[in-house]
Structure formats: C-alpha cells, structure tokens
Amino acid sequence: MVTTFQTEERRAAALINDALEALGYGRREFDMRAIPFTGVWGTSASVCYQIATEQVTAEHAAELEGLSKKEAKRRTQELVRQRAQEIAEQVAARLREVGGFASVEATNGYINITFDTDRFSNELVRAVLTHGKDYGRGEPKSERVMVEYSQPNTHKAFHIGHLRNVCLGNALSRIMRFAGFDVLEANYIGDIGLHVIKTLWCYQRFHRGEEPPREQRGRWLGEIYTEADQRLNYRQDVVDLLNDLARNDPAFREAVDRMMKELWRAHPVGEDVAYLLGQIAHAREIKPDAFYDDATIAHFWPIVGKQLTQMLEAARQRPPQQTAERAAGEPELPTPADYEAWLERWERLAAHLDWWPHVPEWQREVRQTFQLWETKDPAFVALWKETRDWSLEEFNRIYEQLDVHFDVWFYESEVEELGRQIVQELLEKGIAEISDGLPVVKIDEKLGLEKETYRTLPILRSDGTTLYSTKDLALTKIKFEQYHVDRAIWVVDVRQSLYLQQIFKVMELWGFAQAAKCYHLSYETVMLPTGAMSSRSGNVVLYEDVADRVLRRAREIIDEKNPALPDELKERIARDVGLGSMKYGMLMRDNNRVLVFDIEEALSFEGHAAPYIQYAHARACRILEKVDTIPTEGLHFVDLTPEEINLIQHVAAFPSDVERAASEYKPLVIANYVYELAKRFNDFYRACPVLQAPEPQRSARLALVAAARQTLVNGLGLLGIAAPEIM
RNA sequence: GCGCCCGUAGCUCAGUGGAUAGAGCGUUUGCCUCCGGAGCAAAAGGCCGCAGGUUCGAAUCCUGCCGGGCGUACCA
C-alpha cells in the first residue's frame, strides 16, 4: 500500500534532487527519513553530507595531507559539518520557492521538510477509515509462500516451547498474507520416529489396559514418553551423575577410598569396586556397560547419597569463596546450590534402582518394537493410530484456542516411503553414497567446498529405517512439486540450523531451483528460570497448564474491574486478554534470543504487554461509542498538539512497517509497532480531550481516534491477538 | 578445531549507518469531581563486553579478543 505520506516523501526527494542539480551539485541517490524529533511530522535528507564530504576532501586535500591522521579526521569532520549546513541552506531556500510544503529548514546539515498536516491528516484518516481492516494491506504478489510451523510430536507433551513456534509461525503467516503473498500455512506432525516407538513400547510393557482420563489422553501419553525415556536412559543417567561429581568436585574424588571400603563391605565384587575406584579417583569417564555385577550400583547408591549430604553440609559451613583468594588455575568449589541439584538428581535415580538390571533388555525390546512398525504389524499399527489420535485431539484443541488454522497437514508417517525412494534416486544419481554402511550426502565435497561448512548429511539409518532427513527431503519435494511453492519457510528451533541448511543444499544439488528461496526462520530455546526444559528430568511447563492459569487470572481481573458484565462476555474477554498476553510475550522478543519463560511475568497484565495495547483500544472504543457517526470529510487538523502529531505520524507508518516485517520475516516489527501506537494513543488520550473539545477540533480528534483504533485492530490482528471493545 | 547466536540502565529487553541511545519491571515522589488508574507524570539509573578499523557520521558495518549459549554423520 502506497500512502500519500510515502508519495509526498518521494516528491520531496525528487525536488531536492532538482534543487541539487540546479545548484550545480548533480543528482544523488539517497533516502528520506522521518524527522526524529517529537511533535514534528516530516521527512529529512542527509544528502548534503555526501556532497560536503566530496567537496571538502577535494578542496582541502593539501591542508589535510600535512596533518596527522587523527587531526585530519577531526578537521574534515569540522569542515564537512559546516559545508553540509551551507548546502542544506541553499537547498532549503530553493525548496521554499517551489513551495507546497508546510516548512523547509536546514538544521545540523539536514534538510528537514514538514508536511501540511491539515491536508495529510485528512487524507490519512480518510484512507484508514475507508480501507478499514485492509488499511496497511500490501499489493497482491504472485509468489506462493508456504510457512511450515508447529511440527509437534504426537505421543509427547505440548509445552511452552512449542508455543513460541506456533506464535511466530502464525504471526509470520498473517503478516506475509497481509503483505500480499499467497500464503499456505502448513503443519508437519511428527507422528512416527523413535519417540513414538519408545512411548508405545512403554505403554504396552507397563501400562496396557490403563484407561487415561478422557480429556487428558494426549498429556497422559506424554508422561508415558517421559517414563520410557527415563527407563531407557537410566544407566546413562546414573553414570552421568557419577561422572559429573568426579569431574567437578575434588571432595568427591578424595572420598573415593572411604566410599569404596564401604561398598566392599556391602557388596564385595572386586572388579567393580576397583573400576569405580580407578575412574572416580582420576575423574575418568565411567561407562554404563563396564560393570560385572548388576547389583553394584544398587549397593553403591546409598553411599553416594550419604557422601553428597555430608558435602552439602560442609559447603554450607564454608564461608563464601572470594574470587581474589582463590589461587590462579584452582577450580571453583561447588556451591550448596550445586549440591542441592546433585542431590535432587540422586534422589530421582534412587527411586528406581531396580531398573538398572533391565535396561539392556528394554533397549532390545524397543528395537523389536521398531520392527513391528517396519513390518506394519496390524495390531501395532492399530495401537499407533489410536494413540496418535489422542495427541492430535489435544493439538487441535490447542490450535482452536489459539485461533491457529492450517491449510495443509503433513505427517511424517506419510512421507517415509517416498523418502526411501528418494534415497535410492540420490544414490543412483551419485549425489548420495554409502559411507560407513549408510547412505549419506557429502555436501561440501559435492559443492567443491574446501572448508567444512555443510559437512555430511546421513539420509537413512544403516538398518534401513528412515531418519528425519529422509522424510524432510520427501516433504520438501512435495512442497515444490505438488503445492507449487515458490518460497518455502521453516519455522524451527535454531539448533536445527545446520541441519536445515543441509537439506536446502541437497535440494539444490538435486536440481530444485526453489532451493535458493528456502528460508529457515530460527528461534532460540525457551528456557525456564530453573534451566533448560527437559522432559526426562520433568522440568517442563505444559502449554495447557499455563493457559489455564493465565485465563483464570484474566477472569479474576475482569470480575474486579467490570463486575456488571454478563458472564459470557467476561469469559470471552478473559480469553482475548489472557491469550493475547501469552502470544505477545512470545513475540515481543527477538527470535534469536533465548526466552526465559517466567509464569509470574505471564500473569502480570501491566506494562509492556498485550493488555496495555488492548486497553488503549478499549479506551478508544469508549470514546467512539458516544457519538453516532464518525466525521471523515473536511476535517480541520490545525494547531495540532505534539501528541496529536505523534499519533498521526505513527498511524501513517503502519503500511511501511508491515512491508518491513514481511520482507525481514520479523513479527517483532509489528509487536513493537503496535506497542508504540498504544503508547502514543495513551499520550494523546491524556493530553487531548475529544468529546469536550470545541468544533472543529472535536470532529478531527474523533476521526483520529477512529483511525488509531482501526490501526490497533489491524496490527494486533497480524499477531493473532484480539482487540476486545470492553475489558 | 570449525560454524552460528547473544553481550545496551539493578533485572528483562527494544533500537532501519544519521541529529539528544529508549521501553517495561523494580526503587522514590506525585495524579481519579474531568472520554475507564490494565492508565499517566516526574526522579534516579548507561565506558551500548574490550581493542582496533571503515565512514563526514558507528550501539548498528569489518577484524581481533573476552564472557555466555548452541550446533558439529545413523536424535528430532
């Protein structure tokens, strides 16, 4: 959408160029920028600096030659600044003759042009009110874009980390569509793979016949997955803790003799005692399969626990270590908090010492279960389908709540076969080769790169089962060939960054021109104040739990602020405000920054958050509902206050920010925009009475309120956030 | 080793090579007889990690270093 504001900016640039030419400086390429001062609506050019620099360096070459580098620099700066101002004054004088601008001034070497606010405000307000929900929409573009996002795994929990993905992907889709692209929103469900096999193994082995609570079957399945993972990794987890202790705590290493004596008394298996003694004393890695006796760890564990408790006590007694006191090179001693964390891990593992002997057998069983899938065992496939639906039901409930709707649903299970065929094709074409017994693409080699950049991508397991890459190659081919996608976007965690670059390069090697327009919108991990989320350690925050709390809190506040509203309306507002707050929290932070999710912050509806913006909207609605019609013609925007100008200016900037958000794939641009707009509206609201203002001011302000309200709605809409009229 | 990301106010973070680096939270002090106080105003708080370089001009671009995170062939 080209606004009159932008047209006027271009006209100004053209006239400046005419003036430069007439003054003998020649035409230049330069951008116009908004004047950065508050309460002024206009555009500025810094082109005079360009010209001044050229002239100064030419005219003062001899003088500058004789100076030291530093002095020359300072002198140039001084001369350029003066000259830029002189040129700006000449240009300004000429532009004033041409006329058509409210004012033209030369300040600090810039040419500042202010707009005829009366005329442009009239045009702006009329444009916003006639276009309505389409204000800011871009010209239709012929390109088809597919945004693949969400990609949840069935049989696993949907946690707060998944929310960041959904919010980003959905907002990006809305923005791209609004900017004029033909957008397809695609979901890609991870309904098969090792995690599904593990879950189903654990279900069959330990939970068959249990009836999960109906509404929570998806979540229940996620718990089974966690349990499966804990069981299968049990030995490794135990050994990891011992290794961490031996590596990071000298006191633990020093205690090894005493601990081993105790272990020997309880469980005299010489080889194991000797092994533990040697590895711990020298902080060498303990391996989970190096034990002779399955019961050794069970006997050793209480001893470790006792030692940890003692060390925690000792650490608490110890005065806090001063960094200065510590000799150089000496490692930092563990803090009480370290010991508490270790003890927590110790306790969790202590609860399942009976698992240790079974781990190898369980791992075998999982491999057998994988075979049931590979051979499409009917009973197993039926179980898979049934449990898969439990998860999908939960996902759909969440998408419904978030107002997220996909045009295309892909499933990993549906691209396995095509993936295998593709591996064959790539092998035949010589793009892939067998290395160490499995098909891989040696990308750097194929591209002729000397430095390692894309490395090697395995595309099938050596046992013939499919990998994520096998399926992704197939899926990407489908996107290109069946959906005719010109530009494919993946919204995926940053940790898969190299992996996706590899996929793009393989598509390129394979001959797909669209590979050049593949884009990975990566985002950093969502962490908890307690650290990284990990389903195995149980440190996860589930989406539905957070949503429940946030919506309940929103409801409490509405009950407080607006007790008279009908129940149904209150419920709807609570949903709009609560969900808006959650979504905004996910979008207001740059995507390549780690996001620490703090529930307390999510429950606060004050300050820089969605409710602030929604509140500005509700205030605007309060004003507008008190008049019958919004005047749009012949308004008088004269003697404007700075608050009015700032608001008008920002409303006018919406279309170009939409464009920028789309071209940079950055929903954050809109998140910032909409907050700033609300802020400026609140400033205006305080400073400028509307209903009590005398005519013609009253009409102009009413129209401005209506325009700002509409722009708030449009901007929030791009983030998937509703704008309730009352809250 | 190599590669990517982050480092800005006490904390959490915005910031498109341009003019005086901004918000929120927290702290202190004010503002509801006035379109809704989920709001507003004021104060305090900054070697924009460090050092060079490019430029008329650098928080922004380039190089090196320091600190933190992540990735690096059969997990997804």
Side-chain angles (χ1 to χ4, degrees):
Chain A
M1 171 178 271
V2 179
T3 58
T4 48
F5 171 66
Q6 286 165 316
T7 313
E8 190 63 4
E9 237 179 8
R10 276 171 218 168
R11 189 173 81 93
L15 287 171
I16 289 172
N17 248 330
D18 291 346
L20 289 173
E21 191 171 36
L23 290 162
Y25 299 121
R27 305 184 81 85
R28 309 282 158 147
E29 278 289 319
F30 61 91
D31 288 327
M32 302 299 294
R33 298 175 54 88
I35 299 174
F37 305 124
T38 182
V40 188
W41 190 19
T43 184
S44 75
S46 58
V47 64
C48 301
Y49 277 98
Q50 268 183 49
I51 298 163
T53 306
E54 289 163 21
Q55 293 187 349
V56 166
T57 46
E59 290 168 21
H60 298 261
E63 180 195 341
L64 293 168
E65 194 93 358
L67 298 170
S68 76
K69 202 174 172 191
K70 212 166 187 172
E71 282 167 347
K73 207 171 164 173
R74 210 177 36 102
R75 180 77 182 130
T76 317
Q77 204 171 325
E78 195 180 312
L79 290 167
V80 166
R81 208 172 290 165
Q82 271 173 30
R83 182 62 60 88
Q85 177 63 17
E86 284 163 28
I87 299 170
E89 276 164 19
Q90 293 170 357
V91 174
R94 251 196 123 73
L95 285 189
R96 276 193 285 265
E97 284 167 30
V98 180
F101 296 111
S103 79
V104 183
E105 261 162 81
T107 34
N108 300 335
Y110 294 83
I111 304 161
N112 288 348
I113 297 169
T114 57
F115 294 141
D116 180 338
T117 44
D118 188 26
R119 197 179 119 216
F120 287 114
S121 302
N122 262 293
E123 286 189 29
L124 174 68
V125 162
R126 205 177 314 128
V128 175
L129 297 181
T130 52
H131 287 103
K133 64 184 182 7
D134 288 324
Y135 172 63
R137 186 180 288 281
E139 296 301 316
K141 298 170 180 64
S142 59
E143 245 179 291
R144 169 170 285 185
V145 179
M146 181 176 275
V147 183
E148 181 201 300
Y149 65 97
S150 195
Q151 310 111 331
N153 285 330
T154 62
H155 303 78
K156 266 186 167 184
F158 195 101
H159 56 69
I160 204 74
H162 295 107
L163 182 64
R164 189 176 199 181
N165 184 304
V166 174
C167 291
L168 259 178
N170 186 247
L172 180 69
S173 301
R174 289 170 186 265
I175 290 166
M176 299 283 287
R177 192 173 290 132
F178 196 64
F181 291 97
D182 172 16
V183 175
L184 288 175
E185 288 172 80
N187 200 341
Y188 179 36
I189 305 289
D191 62 344
I192 194 57
L194 209 49
H195 69 281
V196 177
I197 303 296
K198 284 182 188 171
T199 309
L200 293 182
W201 160 78
C202 189
Y203 174 74
Q204 285 187 305
R205 184 75 154 73
F206 302 102
H207 301 278
R208 203 207 287 270
E210 284 177 29
E211 190 57 33
R214 203 180 161 71
E215 275 289 303
Q216 307 204 339
R217 291 186 301 194
R219 159 190 303 234
W220 185 78
L221 219 42
E223 284 162 15
I224 303 273
Y225 168 75
T226 300
E227 182 188 325
D229 215 35
Q230 282 173 348
R231 284 177 183 269
L232 293 162
N233 283 286
Y234 185 73
R235 285 193 174 192
Q236 192 61 53
D237 288 346
V238 163
V239 157
D240 281 348
L241 177 55
L242 292 177
N243 283 327
D244 282 355
L245 286 169
R247 223 185 355 259
N248 300 314
D249 186 359
F252 187 75
R253 289 198 297 275
E254 280 156 22
V256 71
D257 281 322
R258 204 189 43 67
M259 289 194 292
M260 286 311 138
K261 275 194 196 118
E262 209 174 319
L263 175 58
W264 176 257
R265 276 201 298 278
H267 188 67
V269 175
E271 295 89 338
D272 287 349
V273 172
Y275 177 69
L276 280 169
L277 178 69
Q279 301 305 99
I280 293 173
H282 299 102
R284 280 195 303 252
E285 198 188 344
I286 301 165
K287 297 257 166 63
D289 49 5
F291 293 89
Y292 283 82
D293 194 303
D294 276 348
T296 299
I297 288 297
H299 285 99
F300 187 41
W301 213 242
I303 301 172
V304 173
K306 216 157 51 181
Q307 180 63 30
L308 269 170
T309 316
Q310 278 172 21
M311 293 189 300
L312 170 60
E313 264 322 298
R316 278 181 180 152
Q317 305 293 321
R318 209 162 42 221
Q321 222 177 356
Q322 296 299 317
T323 339
E325 285 175 21
R326 218 170 57 232
E330 197 179 311
E332 221 167 317
L333 287 177
T335 62
D338 291 329
Y339 285 114
E340 276 160 21
W342 280 328
L343 261 170
E344 211 175 291
R345 281 166 71 185
W346 176 87
E347 265 167 42
R348 220 168 34 240
L349 294 164
H352 299 293
L353 285 167
D354 55 310
W355 284 1
W356 178 280
H358 302 288
V359 174
E361 144 204 351
W362 290 343
Q363 287 170 342
R364 263 196 311 281
E365 287 172 15
V366 168
R367 282 194 292 274
Q368 284 160 12
T369 309
F370 215 143
Q371 281 313 302
L372 289 179
W373 169 255
E374 290 293 309
T375 56
K376 298 288 174 288
D377 176 82
F380 184 79
V381 171
L383 175 68
W384 167 74
K385 269 196 182 131
E386 189 192 350
T387 50
R388 181 181 103 126
D389 284 345
W390 295 354
S391 291
L392 290 177
E393 216 174 272
E394 178 176 307
F395 298 161
N396 279 315
R397 192 168 66 224
I398 293 170
Y399 295 140
E400 194 58 42
Q401 184 176 49
L402 289 170
D403 191 21
V404 164
H405 305 278
F406 295 97
D407 303 299
V408 188
W409 291 76
F410 295 120
Y411 298 89
E412 272 189 52
S413 61
E414 290 177 355
V415 285
E416 274 196 313
E417 278 323 302
L418 179 60
R420 267 189 255 261
Q421 290 167 30
I422 287 169
V423 171
Q424 274 315 308
E425 187 185 333
L426 292 175
L427 283 168
E428 281 159 23
K429 288 197 161 137
I431 296 166
E433 62 198 270
I434 305 291
S435 169
D436 290 343
L438 70 155
V440 301
V441 181
K442 295 189 173 172
I443 305 172
D444 289 339
E445 207 176 291
K446 291 285 177 251
L447 290 170
L449 297 174
E450 306 257 316
K451 250 179 87 176
E452 63 171 32
T453 12
Y454 300 105
R455 298 166 176 265
T456 297
L457 178 71
I459 55 175
L460 200 65
R461 285 202 191 88
S462 49
D463 65 3
T465 57
T466 61
L467 286 166
Y468 200 55
S469 57
T470 321
K471 294 170 267 196
D472 241 340
L473 288 171
L475 183 65
T476 308
K477 181 181 158 83
I478 290 173
K479 289 181 184 175
F480 291 160
E481 291 184 344
Q482 291 180 24
Y483 289 89
H484 309 290
V485 170
D486 301 302
R487 185 187 299 227
I489 299 172
W490 279 255
V491 181
V492 181
D493 191 301
V494 68
R495 285 172 296 197
Q496 292 181 42
S497 186
L498 172 62
Y499 165 75
L500 280 169
Q501 295 311 311
Q502 291 175 324
I503 294 289
F504 300 166
K505 283 296 160 186
V506 172
M507 296 310 288
E508 181 188 313
L509 286 166
W510 195 7
F512 284 95
Q514 298 94 318
K517 279 195 174 174
C518 287
Y519 181 77
H520 173 203
L521 175 59
S522 66
Y523 60 92
E524 263 288 359
T525 328
V526 176
M527 306 252 288
L528 299 177
T530 49
M533 263 193 277
S534 133
S535 55
R536 208 193 305 168
S537 68
N539 192 30
V540 278
V541 173
L542 298 189
Y543 165 77
E544 291 199 311
D545 291 341
V546 174
D548 279 355
R549 285 191 63 182
V550 170
L551 295 196
R552 257 208 313 275
R553 177 89 187 106
R555 176 60 200 250
E556 280 168 21
I557 293 176
I558 292 158
D559 281 334
E560 210 175 283
K561 307 241 179 211
N562 257 320
L565 294 178
D567 211 53
E568 202 180 315
L569 182 59
K570 282 200 232 173
E571 208 45 42
R572 216 199 66 212
I573 295 163
R575 207 193 54 210
D576 289 348
V577 171
L579 291 173
S581 184
M582 287 176 76
K583 289 181 182 180
Y584 194 81
M586 291 287 147
L587 294 168
M588 68 186 284
R589 207 145 272 158
D590 192 276
N591 44 286
N592 42 28
R593 203 185 265 270
V594 173
L595 190 152
V596 178
F597 180 81
D598 186 349
I599 183 72
E600 292 310 318
E601 214 171 287
L603 289 172
S604 159
F605 299 136
E606 282 163 20
H608 190 174
Y612 176 89
I613 304 158
Q614 292 168 318
Y615 185 65
H617 175 263
R619 279 176 151 182
C621 290
R622 270 320 61 69
I623 295 174
L624 296 173
E625 75 186 3
K626 294 186 175 71
V627 296
D628 295 331
T629 53
I630 310 296
T632 55
E633 296 300 323
L635 301 167
H636 291 272
F637 287 97
V638 288
D639 297 328
L640 300 181
T641 65
E643 288 83 4
E644 284 175 294
I645 291 174
N646 289 341
L647 181 58
I648 291 167
Q649 192 180 11
H650 205 61
V651 168
F654 183 57
S656 63
D657 269 18
V658 168
E659 222 168 286
R660 191 159 73 88
S663 67
E664 292 177 12
Y665 306 114
K666 269 190 127 154
L668 173 64
V669 170
I670 300 299
N672 285 341
Y673 173 84
V674 95
Y675 175 67
E676 183 64 29
L677 182 59
K679 210 168 171 43
R680 291 185 187 208
F681 179 80
N682 278 334
D683 277 349
F684 162 84
Y685 183 87
R686 170 186 54 80
C688 308
V690 177
L691 297 172
Q692 286 106 322
E695 287 295 356
Q697 204 173 39
R698 185 180 130 105
S699 289
R701 285 183 177 173
L702 267 173
L704 179 55
V705 170
R709 190 206 64 86
Q710 183 66 58
T711 311
L712 279 169
V713 172
N714 294 5
L716 284 171
L718 293 181
L719 306 179
I721 298 173
E725 298 188 358
I726 305 177
M727 58 187 279

